[in-house]
Amino acid sequence: MELIQSLPGVEDILPIPQQVGKDLKMADSQVWQWVEATAREIFRRAAYREIRTPAFEQTQLFERGIGEATDVVGKEMYTFVDRGDRSCTLRPEGTAGVVRAYIQHSLYAQGGVQRLWYGGPMFRYERPQKGRQRQFHQIGVEVLGSSDPRADVEVIALATDLLTTLGLQDLVFYLNSVGDRQDRDRYRQALVDYLTPFKADLDADSQDRLSRNPLRILDSKDPKTQAIAQDAPSILDYLGDVSQHHFERVCQQLSDLGITFELNPRLVRGLDYYTHTAFEIQSNDLGAQATVCGGGRYDGLVQELGGPHTPAVGWAIGLERLTLLLAMLTPTSATAPDVYLVSRGDRAEANALQLAQKLRQKGIAVELDLSGAAFGKQFKRADRSGAAACLIVGDDEAAQGTVQIKWLGSGEQSSLAQAALLQDADAFQQQLRAAQGKG
Ligand code: ATP
Ligand code: MG
């Protein structure tokens, strides 16, 4: 029978740790949990609250929220008609859904600033490559209801905090301002004037964009187009006073926080509702898929989607790219259980099942051997499990209500009453921690 495999660009995240030299490297799913836990904690400390929006929405939402002239909407959406004849689309990004929910549930009526974060799978029909998938995952933040440059700086600082807390270095943070609508109208004209004489040398997509969405040409990955864009006029020379002031404040406050950045006037968000700050955090270790985090201000989007005028700023981090970088750091595994419990014989197995349950209720992570194999084989598995101690229950122990404890580091072994072990579970836990070097 032909095996059914996952679709191209759609991957499993497995719980299998890899042996690298003497180290047990974190399993993929463990790396993901670590990233997610770290992000949650960083969001909590800054008073961001989680919002969960659906994995699919009306197609229109993305057409209006991302823009029909973008690759995402033009080429990459998973769109289907449901049985009720509605056009639905698997979400290609998170912001549109968050803004839809913000408007639909009148979150603005709560007054003040809404600080939100989200995470989950996103879907884009792209050519699968390293760091580019069809189902991928993002975590992101959105601050709705503040036009203060400090909001831009706060979200940027959250991103850099998260990445450095995870131990990533050598990231480059690119910053730009795309101004407001008037600035961009003036700039767009200057850009078209500059690019038109080169039209024949631009890649096909960019030629197409020259009339529809010329700012996006600056974003082209085609080398020839990039070379031409290199000498294009800079949007920073077209900022009006308000935009200039906002941008200066952002730059100054970032510097005050010790966050280093590089100005990149070719970094754009090509839609009308993107305003002011735009930024990306890139790594040189990811090849062509260099951008780990992208974000910026979108003061016009809430209104574009039918809500009240609401300035907003946010970012999204691609978790596949982030975890690729973390895998290069070879963090060691922490998936090991505290104890590995082996047993053999009917009575012992029944007793061990109960002991496992009781220890778990006391907060101790127990891996119970279910093999029924000879003790020798079970001991081998105990060694490989990474547990600090192996608990052994044979029929004798079961009859007497005792358990053998073998410390896997030192090989020391002793016998103890199960009741005493459970009674002093806290002390046992501390011994386990100490043996695992978790302090
Ligand atoms: P790229 O230029 O690499 O296609 P993008 O501009 O389409 O990225 P955004 O829409 O800004 O990306 O999404 C934010 C982040 O989500 C990206 O920086 C990246 O880390 C991640 N991301 C986007 N598309 C994919 C994908 N197909 N596979 C994996 N990660 C992705
Ligand atoms: Mg893309």
Side-chain angles (χ1 to χ4, degrees), residues 355 358 362 400-403 416-425:
L355 181 60
K358 288 176 188 156
K362 300 274 186 185
Q400 295 157 14
T402 59
V403 58
L416 203 75
Q418 292 182 16
L421 185 68
L422 290 165
Q423 184 117 53
D424 291 333

Side-chain angles (χ1 to χ4, degrees), residues 95-124:
T95 305
V98 169
V99 170
R100 194 240 343 111
Y102 175 85
I103 299 166
Q104 182 174 337
H105 305 290
S106 313
L107 296 188
Y108 47 84
Q110 311 226 330
V113 174
Q114 289 286 319
R115 290 180 165 90
L116 304 171
W117 71 269
Y118 63 85
M122 308 291 162
F123 307 86
R124 297 183 192 177

Side-chain angles (χ1 to χ4, degrees), residues 196-273:
T196 303
F198 296 106
K199 182 166 182 186
D201 297 322
L202 299 175
D203 62 278
D205 273 347
S206 296
Q207 292 190 12
D208 199 41
R209 285 182 181 132
L210 197 52
S211 53
R212 290 195 305 145
N213 193 2
L215 265 67
R216 272 272 156 189
I217 296 175
L218 298 175
D219 209 28
S220 166
K221 286 173 178 114
D222 178 78
K224 216 164 158 193
T225 303
Q226 277 180 351
I228 294 167
Q230 197 71 33
D231 295 324
S234 164
I235 191 158
L236 295 174
D237 295 330
Y238 289 79
L239 299 183
D241 287 346
V242 174
S243 303
Q244 186 65 37
H245 183 66
H246 185 95
F247 191 52
E248 278 165 12
R249 297 278 290 273
V250 170
C251 293
Q252 182 60 50
Q253 291 165 6
L254 284 171
S255 301
D256 292 347
L257 288 182
I259 297 172
T260 46
F261 56 86
E262 262 179 52
L263 293 185
N264 180 355
R266 280 175 303 285
L267 185 75
V268 289
R269 307 242 140 199
L271 294 167
D272 283 350
Y273 25 88

Side-chain angles (χ1 to χ4, degrees), residues 71-72 76 124 126 132 136 216 219 221 321:
D71 279 356
V72 171
E76 298 171 0
R124 297 183 192 177
E126 300 199 69
R132 191 176 296 286
F136 64 102
R216 272 272 156 189
D219 209 28
K221 286 173 178 114
R321 295 183 196 178

Side-chain angles (χ1 to χ4, degrees), residues 344-390:
R344 187 165 159 83
D346 287 346
R347 188 159 179 189
E349 286 171 6
N351 177 233
L353 183 62
Q354 288 186 25
L355 181 60
Q357 178 76 350
K358 288 176 188 156
L359 286 167
R360 288 171 186 151
Q361 286 166 350
K362 300 274 186 185
I364 293 172
V366 182
E367 182 166 347
L368 177 65
D369 194 303
L370 295 174
S371 66
F375 271 124
K377 281 197 173 158
Q378 296 195 44
F379 289 151
K380 282 216 179 87
R381 271 196 283 268
D383 280 330
R384 277 200 309 258
S385 74
C390 177

Side-chain angles (χ1 to χ4, degrees), residues 72 76 92-93 124 126 131-134 136-138 216 219 221 269 280 288-295 316-321:
V72 171
E76 298 171 0
E93 53 96 59
R124 297 183 192 177
E126 300 199 69
R132 191 176 296 286
Q133 291 174 231
R134 291 181 176 169
F136 64 102
H137 299 75
Q138 291 182 336
R216 272 272 156 189
D219 209 28
K221 286 173 178 114
R269 307 242 140 199
E280 282 189 0
Q289 278 64 250
T291 305
V292 180
C293 175
I317 286 179
L319 292 184
E320 277 75 10
R321 295 183 196 178

